[in-house]
Amino acid sequence: MSENLFGDAHVQRYRETGGEEGHIWRNGSKILLLTTKGRTSGELRTTPLIYEADDGKYVIGASKGGAP
C-alpha cells in the first residue's frame, strides 16, 4: 500500500509504477517527486512531497510524514 511508503522506498515505488502507486498517499494527499542537485557534491536527490492546487497555483508541503 502506498500509504505506508516513506522516503527512498516511496520514490522507488512511484518510479517503478509510473505514479500508479505513490502519487496518491494518506488521506488522498497527492505526491510529487522533487529532484534537486547538491550545490557542492553535484549529487541528485529525490524527495517525495505533498502538493495541492490552490486557486490555479500549486502549494508544496514538506512534513516528514507528520513527525514533530
Side-chain angles (χ1 to χ4, degrees):
M1 284 188 131
S2 62
E3 60 218 23
N4 295 322
L5 295 172
F6 290 94
D8 292 338
H10 197 148
V11 172
Q12 180 179 356
R13 192 70 178 150
Y14 193 114
R15 287 181 171 160
E16 286 174 348
T17 65
E20 288 290 321
E21 292 185 38
H23 177 243
I24 304 299
W25 195 54
R26 293 183 173 182
N27 300 317
S29 298
K30 294 180 215 103
I31 302 294
L32 62 80
L33 299 181
L34 178 69
T35 301
T36 57
K37 184 177 181 179
R39 180 177 55 94
T40 304
S41 69
E43 183 178 334
L44 296 177
R45 295 179 180 91
T46 301
T47 306
L49 298 173
I50 295 171
Y51 77 94
E52 189 62 60
D54 181 38
D55 197 27
K57 298 179 182 173
Y58 289 100
V59 178
I60 300 170
S63 69
K64 197 173 181 183

